[in-house]
């Protein structure tokens, strides 16, 4: 099983208030991973991606047709789309790269489904707390940064660990001390 598949299973389905979940790569308009038994057809992928490409107010007025069901939109903006059909619903949250899709059924709390999906969409970053090898690196959930005066905010698409990052992690040559409290190795990155 892939890391992304485990993430969906543990973070979303693990709440017991998400019936099924999927990850759609926005740029490629393709299904990346889905929970067992959750089939998301290419037309459904297009519907969801287009739901964010159109005016969110239009999606809210018209509703959502997903997996052969009509849903009434209860929220539609540039970041999230929530829709329901009687006692079932679908929650879609947009990240920079993916659409996270989660569904709930009767007997599940929609609010827990929404919260779990929104939290998973938060920014994730690689951190370390002590010098050492890769075993000390871990993924940490971060709030979206706000740039200070005279600074900018980059949308990171990819990052590499280079020699300076490795020196920082291993705390060689005093590099770790020079960087102070910085614990996010990523001197080289690719923005969009």
């Amino acid at each position: 099983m892939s890391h992304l598949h485990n993430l969906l299973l543990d973070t979303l389905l693990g709440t017991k208030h998400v019936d099924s979940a999927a990850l759609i790569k926005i740029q490629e308009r393709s299904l990346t991973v889905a929970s067992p038994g959750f089939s998301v057809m290419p037309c459904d992928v297009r519907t969801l991606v287009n739901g964010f490409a159109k005016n969110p107010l239009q999606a809210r007025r018209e509703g959502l047709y997903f997996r052969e069901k009509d849903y009434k939109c209860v929220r539609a903006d540039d970041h999230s789309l929530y829709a329901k059909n009687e006692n079932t619903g679908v929650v879609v949250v947009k990240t920079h790269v993916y659409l996270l899709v989660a569904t709930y059924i009767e007997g599940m709390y929609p609010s827990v489904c929404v919260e779990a999906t929104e939290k998973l969409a938060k920014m994730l970053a690689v951190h370390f707390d002590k010098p050492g090898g890769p075993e000390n690196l871990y993924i940490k959930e971060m709030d979206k940064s706000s740039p200070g005066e005279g600074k900018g905010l980059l949308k990171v698409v990819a990052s590499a660990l280079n020699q300076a990052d490795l020196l920082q992690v291993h705390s060689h040559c005093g590099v770790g001390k020079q960087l102070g409290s910085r614990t996010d190795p990523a001197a080289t990155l690719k923005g969009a």
Side-chain angles (χ1 to χ4, degrees):
M1 246 189 271
S2 75
H3 171 70
L4 292 174
H5 194 261
N6 287 333
L7 195 63
L8 283 182
L9 293 177
D10 295 342
T11 307
L12 296 179
L13 274 61
T15 67
K16 306 293 186 209
H17 292 281
V18 174
D19 181 57
S20 50
L23 208 53
I24 295 170
K25 200 152 197 180
I26 298 169
Q27 189 124 12
E28 284 84 14
R29 295 178 177 243
S30 63
L31 182 67
T32 302
V33 66
S35 59
F38 188 45
S39 63
V40 181
M41 304 304 292
C43 61
D44 294 321
V45 170
R46 278 191 305 276
T47 296
L48 295 176
V49 172
N50 289 341
F52 283 99
K54 291 181 182 178
N55 180 345
L57 292 175
Q58 183 179 353
R60 187 161 184 162
R61 273 193 310 269
E62 294 175 3
L64 178 71
Y65 185 74
F66 178 68
R67 297 189 71 219
E68 300 180 355
K69 272 189 188 177
D70 283 312
Y71 289 86
K72 178 184 176 187
C73 282
V74 294
R75 177 181 176 165
D77 58 34
D78 293 335
H79 175 70
S80 305
L81 192 149
Y82 308 161
K84 67 179 193 171
N85 177 319
E86 296 179 15
N87 295 324
T88 65
V90 61
V91 176
V92 186
V93 179
K94 182 180 176 184
T95 71
H96 298 298
V97 179
Y98 297 104
L99 292 181
L100 280 107
V101 182
T103 65
Y104 61 88
I105 57 174
E106 188 171 0
M108 294 180 170
Y109 294 127
S111 60
V112 176
C113 180
V114 165
E115 183 180 5
T117 309
E118 291 280 0
K119 278 188 173 183
L120 185 56
K122 278 189 169 192
M123 189 170 85
L124 301 176
V126 176
H127 280 262
F128 67 95
D129 294 324
K130 58 186 176 185
E135 69 278 0
N136 292 331
L137 298 175
Y138 63 94
I139 301 285
K140 181 177 176 182
E141 190 175 292
M142 303 288 295
D143 289 326
K144 190 172 182 178
S145 301
S146 297
E149 188 175 325
K151 301 203 178 212
L153 182 64
L154 295 175
K155 177 166 71 168
V156 177
V157 175
S159 176
L161 290 177
N162 63 27
Q163 187 64 26
D165 296 321
L166 295 175
L167 289 171
Q168 179 186 354
V169 171
H170 289 285
S171 198
H172 291 296
C173 306
V175 172
K177 293 176 184 147
Q178 292 174 1
L179 295 172
S181 63
R182 183 173 166 221
T183 59
D184 57 334
T188 305
L189 50 91
K190 167 98 171 92

